[in-house]
Amino acid sequence: MRSQLALFAILGIVILILFAGVYAVVFTASKSKATIHTGQQTSQQEGSQAVQAYAQHCFESGVNRALNLFGKQGGVIYESQGGRTPDPSTNGVDYSLHLGYKVNYLLFPPEETSSGIFFATPPEYPWETYPYLQNGQVLDSGYFGKTTLAPLYSEYGANSWQSELEHFVQNYLNTSCDFQQWKGLNILPAMPNVSVRIAENTTYVLDWQKESPENPLFIAEWPILVNDKFIRASTRLNKLVYTPNVRLAKLYFFVKSLLIQDSSNMSFSMNGVFPQSFGVTVYHESSDSVISVNDQGSVLNNKKFEFWFARKNRPPALWYIAPQAGNICAGSSITIEDHDETLPSANDAALYLPLDNLTIRKGECSCLSEFCLTNSTVDRLISGTQILNQYTAVGESLSLGTHEIPVEGTTGFSVGDEVLLIGMTGASAGLYESHTISKVQRFKIYVAEPVQRAFAASPFLGTTSSDKVQLVRILRARTLIVTGKITAQPWDGRTGGVIAINAQTIDLRGSIDSSGTGFRGGEGIVGSIGYQGESALGFGTQRTNSNAGGGGGGAGNSAVCGASSAGGGAGAGHKSSGANSGGSCSALVSCSSDGGTSYALDASHIFMGSGGGGGGGCSGGTVGNGAAGGGIIMVTASSITGSGKIISNGASAGSAS
């Protein structure tokens, strides 16, 4: 019995030991299996992350390459590069080669006549009378080129910037991303779908001069299935996002503004200074040019992003020959040497012909200014009686060398007009010079060349000074046919009294007549001395002696009209003495005096005729005022034909009663 109990005890111990061993083996195996499963999960996750990082890197590389090619090639990527634009074939025709890049042309010469006004080819280009219109106005805007800038967004055209970039990046992801480098992973990328959001707020970036922080957002919807061959597990990657630091929309509208101005405004220059962060550099390639636009707010591959575009050479407009070459009048000939090689293009805003290439033979003519006849290509027919000059008073003294002329008003004055600056009375009386208007503001006119003399001019208000200066717009014409009468606005103490004409030929069948538009006659005074006639010294006083050229006033020592010394003295030209009073008159004849004729002292001075003196001394009747002198006539022409007359007489005095 006792031995049996011992046997059972031994068997129990053995069974217990076996059970413990089996449990230990099972537990260890289970733990080992769990460890292996966890390791497999970690390995799969790391593999997916690596694939995700590689796909993102490949995506960003594609976007950066797209932007680099796009920027250096004028907004296109060629088919051989993975883009959608057909490859160009000929340098200088389809593209301009610059630093190894085939730069797309965005600006071409005009191709056809526009609106029946603008012409595409010389000699009419840009129009026959450039820069003058038929009414004499100056116009810098016109049709000077054709732009081919693609639209920014796909909704406005299939060749847009947006579609070009999307196509290249999508093609790049398909052909340039290698997923075969991972062993043990079966990576199956689907067809990517790339989209570009160029700017969320499109209305804000339309104005490139405003600061906008928005950069393009590139999005790739790209399902990628990652299978682990060992554990038969898979991961799906779907979306990639990248925002390069390139202000694409702002750049687009800046480039667009350059192209619009360069193709429509002849005075615009790509070499100008531009606001904000944009810079523009012009590179000359053969006869054409490449424009580089850089934006300090855009960085690609650690460098300032640049956008290049090519510009075809265009014919220059030659109206700037005259200010460089001097007086080129009727009968002149101009020879341009070696122009095929050295003639600058409109592209440089170098519209000026180099003087080294000019041979000029001047015609037989005399001009008021260097602009006199070169651009005067409008025919005019004058019938009836017309005042064709415009007048405005100068309101401040002008210093030598100034370009700014303060005036009473600018109505009738425009940029490009030729004007006569002339002193009428006072310290600057008789001085004159001609200018061309370069800018017009409300109460200021600016001239292209500096004023050659100092002019003393009194303010409009608050002074009794006799210093009067005026600005007169000169009538210009190619052929001036006068069947009626051209006259002047009568002198009113500030403006008028001048006819100024600049024409190539004048067919004078009527008259150019400034009679009676000069200095005013003195006032007649009943029972007292009449006033002196007006002269270059200004208005006279009640005196019987002459006022320089102004006639003396009638004496006041007679009781009745008709006695000696009752009549006013006659006016004269400046520096010729006006008559003193003393002529007799009757109640039926003038008790006043006639005005004088205009007078040129020398080549640099010219004066209106002085006014006659007013009658005086009459009682029991009325006395007459003195008559106005003749106005100034300045005519420049190659030839004057016809049987008409040019007249500047003093007016006849009225009669007393």
Side-chain angles (χ1 to χ4, degrees):
M1 186 69 177
R2 184 176 297 174
S3 61
Q4 290 177 342
L5 291 172
L7 179 61
F8 283 123
I10 292 171
L11 288 173
I13 292 172
V14 171
I15 292 170
L16 183 60
I17 292 173
L18 290 173
F19 178 78
V22 171
Y23 177 80
V25 170
V26 171
F27 177 78
T28 302
S30 176
K31 182 177 180 181
S32 176
K33 184 176 181 179
T35 301
I36 292 172
H37 182 69
T38 302
Q40 289 172 340
Q41 286 182 330
T42 302
S43 176
Q44 180 187 356
Q45 185 178 14
E46 291 174 350
S48 298
Q49 290 175 347
V51 172
Q52 175 82 29
Y54 174 75
Q56 181 69 31
H57 172 75
C58 189
F59 180 46
E60 294 181 6
S61 297
V63 171
N64 290 342
R65 177 161 175 75
L67 289 172
N68 182 64
L69 290 172
F70 189 83
K72 298 293 177 59
Q73 296 176 169
V76 297
I77 305 176
Y78 301 114
E79 289 179 349
S80 62
Q81 300 168 325
R84 59 185 301 163
T85 301
D87 284 67
S89 58
T90 307
N91 182 25
V93 177
D94 305 309
Y95 66 90
S96 181
L97 189 64
H98 180 64
L99 300 180
Y101 289 92
K102 296 179 179 180
V103 186
N104 183 38
Y105 284 105
L106 294 184
L107 187 59
F108 294 87
E111 293 182 353
E112 65 281 324
T113 300
S114 174
S115 304
I117 300 175
F118 304 113
F119 295 87
T121 57
E124 294 87 358
Y125 170 84
W127 63 87
E128 186 177 3
T129 60
Y130 175 82
Y132 294 93
L133 301 178
Q134 289 298 313
N135 61 3
Q137 298 292 309
V138 172
L139 184 67
D140 274 339
S141 59
Y143 178 47
F144 306 118
K146 177 182 178 182
T147 65
T148 57
L149 180 66
L152 181 60
Y153 302 103
S154 298
E155 59 187 294
Y156 299 111
N159 63 332
S160 67
W161 283 25
Q162 184 180 31
S163 60
E164 189 78 61
L165 292 169
E166 289 174 347
H167 179 88
F168 176 86
V169 176
Q170 186 165 303
N171 188 61
Y172 184 90
L173 296 182
N174 273 330
T175 60
S176 301
C177 299
D178 180 16
F179 289 99
Q180 304 304 314
Q181 56 184 294
W182 280 276
K183 305 300 181 182
L185 295 179
N186 183 21
I187 303 173
L188 302 174
M191 179 66 70
N193 180 26
V194 176
S195 61
V196 184
R197 298 177 185 174
I198 293 180
E200 293 291 338
N201 186 354
T202 58
T203 58
Y204 187 72
V205 297
L206 285 175
D207 184 356
W208 58 266
Q209 298 189 49
K210 293 182 178 179
E211 287 296 333
S212 171
E214 298 190 64
N215 297 327
L217 177 65
F218 286 78
I219 302 172
E221 300 288 347
W222 196 14
I224 303 175
L225 188 64
V226 182
N227 294 319
D228 192 319
K229 298 178 182 179
F230 297 106
I231 61 173
R232 298 180 181 179
S234 63
T235 303
R236 186 180 182 88
L237 309 177
N238 288 307
K239 188 175 182 179
L240 302 172
V241 176
Y242 177 46
T243 302
N245 187 22
V246 175
R247 303 189 301 180
L248 199 60
K250 185 178 287 291
L251 178 71
Y252 175 89
F253 289 108
F254 178 71
V255 170
K256 186 175 183 178
S257 72
L258 293 181
L259 292 170
I260 290 174
Q261 292 182 79
D262 204 33
S263 62
S264 62
N265 185 350
M266 186 60 80
S267 63
F268 175 75
S269 172
M270 287 284 190
N271 293 307
V273 178
F274 300 98
Q276 303 296 318
S277 62
F278 290 104
V280 178
T281 305
V282 180
Y283 299 96
H284 296 285
E285 298 290 347
S286 185
S287 62
D288 298 331
S289 56
V290 170
I291 312 301
S292 173
V293 179
N294 65 75
D295 176 18
Q296 295 182 4
S298 298
V299 178
L300 185 69
N301 298 325
N302 297 318
K303 297 179 181 179
K304 282 190 296 186
F305 180 73
E306 293 184 57
F307 183 85
W308 300 350
F309 64 90
R311 180 180 58 174
K312 292 293 291 183
N313 192 8
R314 291 161 291 161
L318 301 180
W319 77 294
Y320 280 116
I321 292 177
Q324 294 188 67
N327 296 343
I328 305 176
C329 301
S332 301
S333 65
I334 303 173
T335 302
I336 305 172
E337 305 291 346
D338 301 325
H339 66 275
D340 289 337
E341 297 180 6
T342 60
L343 187 65
S345 73
N347 290 348
D348 309 317
L351 308 180
Y352 315 97
L353 287 175
L355 290 180
D356 293 342
N357 292 350
L358 287 181
T359 301
I360 301 172
R361 180 185 63 78
K362 293 186 179 181
E364 297 298 325
C365 61
S366 175
C367 300
L368 283 175
S369 82
E370 60 188 8
F371 294 86
C372 62
L373 297 175
T374 308
N375 298 305
S376 304
T377 56
V378 180
D379 294 330
R380 299 289 296 270
L381 173 63
I382 309 301
S383 59
T385 299
Q386 297 190 46
I387 298 173
L388 298 174
N389 298 106
Q390 292 285 340
Y391 310 86
T392 187
V394 175
E396 294 180 14
S397 294
L398 306 179
S399 59
L400 177 67
T402 187
H403 291 263
E404 178 185 308
I405 303 177
V407 293
E408 186 176 22
T410 58
T411 301
F413 292 84
S414 302
V415 173
D417 284 346
E418 189 180 8
V419 291
L420 183 70
L421 177 63
I422 182 168
M424 304 305 292
T425 62
S428 301
L431 291 177
Y432 69 93
E433 56 189 63
S434 62
H435 290 277
T436 298
I437 295 177
S438 61
K439 182 168 65 173
V440 176
Q441 293 182 346
R442 187 177 181 185
F443 294 111
K444 290 181 181 178
I445 288 177
Y446 294 82
V447 292
E449 297 297 325
V451 172
Q452 301 300 308
R453 304 174 179 86
F455 283 81
S458 59
F460 303 129
L461 300 174
T463 180
T464 57
S465 170
S466 63
D467 294 326
K468 304 298 181 184
V469 179
Q470 67 172 324
L471 206 60
V472 182
R473 190 189 72 185
I474 298 172
L475 168 65
R476 293 191 300 185
R478 179 173 57 192
T479 300
L480 184 64
I481 303 173
V482 183
T483 60
K485 182 171 79 170
I486 297 176
T487 188
Q489 170 187 301
W491 170 251
D492 62 8
R494 294 184 303 170
T495 61
V498 178
I499 298 174
I501 299 173
N502 196 336
Q504 185 170 333
T505 60
I506 298 177
D507 182 357
L508 186 58
R509 307 172 194 177
S511 64
I512 301 173
D513 189 350
S514 67
S515 297
T517 64
F519 288 125
R520 295 163 292 181
E523 181 184 1
I525 303 295
V526 175
S528 184
I529 299 174
Y531 278 87
Q532 298 166 312
E534 186 182 17
S535 72
L537 297 182
F539 256 129
T541 59
Q542 285 181 275
R543 300 182 65 179
T544 58
N545 62 311
S546 65
N547 172 28
N557 58 0
S558 176
V560 295
C561 285
S564 176
S565 299
H574 187 70
K575 296 297 182 181
S576 296
S577 297
N580 296 330
S581 67
S584 62
C585 62
S586 69
L588 300 179
V589 187
S590 173
C591 280
S592 53
S593 61
D594 298 344
T597 60
S598 59
Y599 179 80
L601 175 64
D602 52 44
S604 60
H605 292 77
I606 192 168
F607 305 89
M608 297 188 296
S610 300
C618 294
S619 60
T622 61
V623 295
N625 297 326
I632 293 170
I633 300 177
M634 302 180 73
V635 175
T636 302
S638 258
S639 66
I640 301 177
T641 60
S643 57
K645 296 180 179 180
I646 299 177
I647 311 167
S648 178
N649 291 329
S652 297
S655 298
S657 60

